[in-house]
Amino acid sequence: MKKRFFISLFVFTIAVMFFITSIPAHAEEKVMKLRISSMWPPQHPLTKTYAQWGKDIEKATAGRVTFAVFASSTLSPPMQVYDNTVKGVVDVGATLLAYSPGRLPLSEVLQQPLGYRNGYQASKLGNAYYKKFKPKEFDDVKVMFLHGAAPGFIFTKNPVKSTADIKGLRIKANAENADIVKNLGASPVTMPVTETYDSLSRGVIDGCLFPIEALQGFKIGEVVKTVIENYGMSYMTSMYMIMNKAKWNAISPADQNAIEKINDEYNEKIAKMWVEMDNNAKTFAKGKGVTFLTVSKEEEAATAQKMKPILDEYVKMTKAKGLPGDEALKFCQDFLKKNP
């Protein structure tokens, strides 16, 4: 009996071991399926790039982390992306910093009229700023990378010959950069970007303050005549890609390292992509008869002086909150000088 019992036990043990070793390794690994919220439509270059970012991470993590992109704000309204990412309604959120008004005060330095020359420079500064200051205002999420559209200029419905010609005009501007318009003597008008084309065509507004890409992206090049290329007031529309903190912490350290590496690669890719989109937008606008008015160095310098009170107000605001706004501003200004 004992002999028969031990033989049976041995056979049972061998069978169990065979069953365990026959299970594929990947079946033991939990797959994390994450949702990306993009405010841009499916065919927009940014949405396509976010989708490829997800595929590259899936490959780098051997399928342990996967992504699905929800375009056109179908997962979350743009103004709620940050909060919804914190709550976990959104796993990965991509939108504008300005859509979280008052929540990211130190990082508002990025959208100031600093004299941005192009989107590559702006996007590289965004990432460099974040890595330098690690602002606590982002502590409730995991930042993937920052980037942005630049330069932002004033476009006018009718031809103009200088920056001074916009005095008294009604210019569409977002709340975060309305002071740019005010300090140039024009009247800022706040409205959704989706209403801008129609408002320009009907004469409700006389111009708009936008990054170059909007000439093609929102077809603004069809309803304006002049783009005032004045780098004394050029700003960046700063953007972020963030991940829910709990989801990030659930990813293994090895996979986190792989994702961080891909994030740096995509900051570079998107930075180059902004330049390409701007070049395409210029070609589109010129084909519609838009004139690009390049102002003199003297006019540019005079405009920069008019922007100085805006920068001073930013420093004052951050100081009142106990934040190093003066250091952040100097870092950004120095970066732009060193990386033209």
Side-chain angles (χ1 to χ4, degrees):
M1 290 291 290
K2 285 185 178 182
K3 185 176 180 181
R4 187 178 302 167
F5 171 78
F6 283 115
I7 291 174
S8 298
L9 180 61
F10 175 76
V11 172
F12 175 77
T13 302
I14 293 298
V16 169
M17 290 178 64
F18 175 81
F19 176 77
I20 292 174
T21 56
S22 66
I23 298 176
H26 62 78
E28 300 173 13
E29 297 172 343
K30 185 178 179 180
V31 175
M32 184 177 290
K33 298 180 179 180
L34 303 178
R35 298 158 300 166
I36 301 174
S37 177
S38 173
M39 62 176 280
W40 294 274
Q43 296 307 311
H44 192 281
L46 279 177
T47 299
K48 290 182 176 181
T49 301
Y50 294 151
Q52 188 58 51
W53 172 83
K55 290 177 182 177
D56 286 352
I57 290 177
E58 183 174 350
K59 182 179 179 181
T61 61
R64 291 181 291 273
V65 184
T66 67
F67 297 88
V69 178
F70 291 77
S72 303
S73 300
T74 53
L75 190 60
S76 171
M79 296 290 287
Q80 297 174 26
V81 165
Y82 192 96
D83 285 339
N84 282 338
T85 304
V86 173
K87 295 173 185 176
V89 176
V90 171
D91 299 318
V92 178
T95 191
L96 278 59
L97 269 73
Y99 286 169
S100 300
R103 187 160 190 168
L104 307 168
L106 187 65
S107 301
E108 288 179 16
V109 68
L110 297 174
Q111 60 201 33
Q112 304 303 315
L114 301 179
Y116 291 99
R117 307 300 297 190
N118 55 67
Y120 182 87
Q121 178 197 52
S123 295
K124 300 302 284 188
L125 169 59
N127 243 26
Y129 153 80
Y130 179 77
K131 291 184 177 183
K132 167 70 175 178
F133 289 92
K134 292 287 195 302
K136 291 183 179 180
E137 58 203 40
F138 277 111
D139 279 357
D140 47 6
V141 295
K142 167 61 183 176
V143 173
M144 300 287 99
F145 50 82
L146 303 182
H147 65 99
F153 292 135
I154 288 178
F155 314 156
T156 59
K157 176 178 173 61
N158 296 314
V160 296
K161 294 185 178 180
S162 73
T163 309
D165 290 347
I166 70 166
K167 187 175 182 179
L169 299 185
R170 297 157 298 172
I171 306 295
K172 178 263 188 275
N174 293 337
E176 72 275 7
N177 49 37
D179 283 345
I180 294 175
V181 174
K182 286 181 183 178
N183 287 24
L184 292 174
S187 300
V189 178
T190 303
M191 66 174 61
V193 63
T194 50
E195 296 178 12
T196 306
Y197 183 103
D198 188 51
S199 295
L200 281 165
S201 63
R202 291 189 295 112
V204 174
I205 54 176
D206 305 305
C208 54
L209 181 65
F210 269 139
I212 292 293
E213 189 271 338
L215 289 165
Q216 184 174 35
F218 292 100
K219 300 295 187 289
I220 302 300
E222 296 179 349
V223 286
V224 296
K225 291 297 183 184
T226 307
V227 172
I228 306 174
E229 288 189 306
N230 186 333
Y231 291 96
M233 50 75 66
S234 64
Y235 71 99
M236 163 171 56
T237 299
S238 49
M239 308 174 198
Y240 57 65
M241 178 176 263
I242 54 176
M243 184 182 289
N244 173 268
K245 200 70 171 285
K247 294 293 173 63
W248 173 256
N249 290 336
I251 298 172
S252 72
D255 286 344
Q256 286 181 350
N257 289 337
I259 293 172
E260 294 278 28
K261 183 178 179 181
I262 290 172
N263 286 343
D264 284 340
E265 292 173 0
Y266 269 79
N267 176 252
E268 176 76 10
K269 286 182 180 180
I270 292 179
K272 290 179 178 178
M273 188 176 73
W274 277 118
V275 175
E276 182 181 353
M277 287 194 290
D278 281 357
N279 289 338
N280 292 339
K282 281 187 174 183
T283 300
F284 172 84
K286 288 178 179 178
K288 300 295 181 180
V290 175
T291 297
F292 285 77
L293 175 67
T294 303
V295 306
S296 67
K297 291 297 180 183
E298 291 75 19
E299 186 173 335
E300 198 172 285
T303 301
Q305 279 301 309
K306 292 179 180 179
M307 298 298 108
K308 193 174 183 302
I310 299 175
L311 306 183
D312 293 341
E313 186 59 32
Y314 162 78
V315 173
K316 181 181 177 181
M317 177 274 290
T318 53
K319 283 295 184 181
K321 296 177 182 292
L323 299 169
D326 53 346
E327 295 176 28
L329 178 60
K330 186 178 186 305
F331 174 83
C332 291
Q333 290 173 324
D334 290 345
F335 183 95
L336 296 180
K337 288 177 183 176
K338 296 174 183 175
N339 301 274

